[in-house]
Amino acid sequence: MSKSYVFYDGKIVDESEVTISIRSKAFNYGLGCFEGIRAYWDEDEKQLYGFRLKDHYVRLLQSAKTFNLNIPYSVDELCKITVDLLKKNQFKQTTYIRPVVFDGGTNINPTLSDAEPKFLIYCQPMGKFAGKEELSVCISSWRRLEDTMLPPRTKPTAAYLNSALASLEANQSGYDEALFLTVSGHVCEGPGENIFIVKKGQLITPPPSDNILEGITRDLVMRLGREELGIEVVERSIARTELYASDEIFFSGTAMEVTPIVKVDNRIIGTGKQGEVYKKIKELFFGLTTGKNPKYAKYCTPVY
Ligand code: PMP
């Protein structure tokens, strides 16, 4: 592996210089929250673009506030640090950026009242995240955490054990990924992605009140549906069996980008191939991540 620079404790350092205690409350109890951001490489321009940096850092600071893990950086400062770090690493490919806010305390109590907020960012190259072009999913027997338990809206580190249990079960049963229902039985989201269905010409996605993470890609897909495709976009609760009767289903997320789901619980969805609405969203999405679409160019921050 080539040299990796990370941001830790206020400066850019060699990753090998960072050590975190085995007593860390972040390690022992998952006291932290994080973000996942992409920077897209444009081979023609030889330019790397941070994608929606500002939106991700607004969400990170809101999450951190929930956990009494306030860090001394503004959104603008965090965006600048990220650009500096990408530059320092000299990435020349699409890259995933992982900012983490965590409790650096080491006493044995799982408390946040005495939190010692720490902040780091590391990055790694990331191409396609899904191992396949088209996914099969199953409804998980595990339910999504509720806002009254561990708010999924805050991307809490500990909540990804809930995600991992669902993915483990799905993978061990031969599916590519899991899909959560809420405790009250509504379709919620994937372990790390939002979900959309297409039915009777409408693009439908669960509302924030169904314990989803309010995805930044979800926000973009809704906008593309409304403004570019002129289709009706609806946020409403979705019942499990509505999935089986959908014309199309797809995931959205920073890592997953937009990826079609062609099978749910062994039922074939629509034609069993990626659908027409999905294909148009995909084309629009990949046409704007490197600043080529003037309307969305402000989402893209050049690094070099
Ligand atoms: N839901 C969960 C649980 C996630 O972890 C993610 C990934 N951040 C998403 C949805 C998608 O959100 P975004 O589009 O902001 O990456």
Side-chain angles (χ1 to χ4, degrees):
M1 191 173 143
S2 58
K3 209 169 168 85
S4 162
Y5 292 100
V6 302
F7 184 83
Y8 181 67
D9 243 3
K11 22 182 214 305
I12 293 177
V13 294
D14 192 316
E15 183 173 343
S16 63
E17 289 171 28
V18 177
T19 51
I20 294 178
S21 170
I22 58 167
R23 295 170 188 262
S24 157
K25 292 208 253 190
F27 172 57
N28 284 259
Y29 305 118
L31 303 193
C33 55
F34 65 95
E35 267 304 320
I37 311 174
R38 266 188 194 261
Y40 283 92
W41 176 246
D42 186 316
E43 183 58 30
D44 299 332
E45 281 183 67
K46 305 275 184 256
Q47 179 61 278
L48 187 65
Y49 289 96
F51 192 62
R52 301 196 71 169
L53 297 181
K54 223 173 170 152
D55 299 293
H56 282 281
Y57 283 119
V58 166
R59 190 168 70 184
L60 183 71
L61 292 184
Q62 284 167 353
S63 298
K65 182 165 95 176
T66 305
F67 300 115
N68 194 35
L69 290 170
N70 297 305
I71 52 169
Y73 304 104
S74 66
V75 168
D76 287 345
E77 285 165 343
L78 291 167
C79 292
K80 181 170 183 311
I81 291 166
T82 303
V83 167
D84 290 347
L85 183 62
L86 289 167
K87 215 182 275 173
K88 179 79 180 171
N89 277 291
Q90 282 293 303
F91 286 117
K92 295 198 165 41
Q93 57 204 303
T94 294
T95 301
Y96 189 74
I97 303 152
R98 168 55 53 80
V100 187
V101 176
F102 62 100
D103 186 353
T106 52
N107 69 48
I108 202 73
N109 302 326
T111 48
L112 285 165
S113 52
D114 56 351
E116 295 172 32
K118 294 264 186 198
F119 176 64
L120 61 79
I121 313 177
Y122 66 88
C123 313
Q124 66 187 48
M126 183 186 279
K128 274 255 154 279
F129 182 70
K132 287 182 176 169
E133 287 294 312
E134 294 164 344
L135 303 180
S136 71
V137 304
C138 64
I139 297 295
S140 182
S141 68
W142 301 97
R143 295 290 170 102
R144 192 50 155 162
L145 290 158
E146 300 267 302
D147 195 65
T148 50
M149 303 169 184
L150 184 53
R153 126 171 337 98
T154 59
K155 273 189 90 64
T157 308
Y160 285 79
L161 208 41
N162 179 231
S163 290
L165 278 172
S167 294
L168 174 67
E169 178 188 56
N171 296 158
Q172 288 182 337
S173 309
Y175 294 93
D176 299 315
E177 197 44 282
L179 197 52
F180 279 115
L181 300 182
T182 63
V183 168
S184 49
H186 299 140
V187 172
C188 182
E189 62 181 353
E193 44 283 308
N194 294 111
I195 188 161
F196 285 87
I197 69 172
V198 178
K199 210 173 170 187
K200 293 186 185 153
Q202 283 185 330
L203 187 57
I204 308 166
T205 194
S209 51
D210 275 343
N211 293 303
I212 60 163
L213 177 73
E214 289 171 78
I216 289 163
T217 321
R218 171 184 180 272
D219 168 76
L220 178 61
V221 168
M222 291 197 292
R223 187 166 168 203
L224 293 175
R226 283 190 184 117
E227 295 181 23
E228 309 305 326
L229 303 184
I231 56 180
E232 200 181 340
V233 178
V234 183
E235 289 177 84
R236 68 156 173 85
S237 294
I238 299 172
R240 174 179 188 160
T241 51
E242 279 188 88
L243 296 172
Y244 307 155
S246 294
D247 299 322
E248 300 181 30
I249 306 181
F250 59 91
F251 273 144
S252 74
T254 296
M256 195 60 101
E257 299 169 302
V258 285
T259 302
I261 294 168
V262 297
K263 249 188 190 180
V264 179
D265 296 337
N266 268 324
R267 275 86 168 170
I268 289 172
I269 305 307
T271 60
K273 295 262 163 252
Q274 33 186 284
E276 293 310 310
V277 173
Y278 166 76
K279 282 192 213 161
K280 287 180 199 154
I281 295 276
K282 178 183 167 186
E283 200 179 316
L284 286 161
F285 179 82
F286 288 105
L288 63 77
T289 53
T290 54
K292 300 263 184 308
N293 184 331
K295 185 167 164 190
Y296 300 92
K298 69 170 194 319
Y299 286 159
C300 309
T301 308
V303 169
Y304 301 116

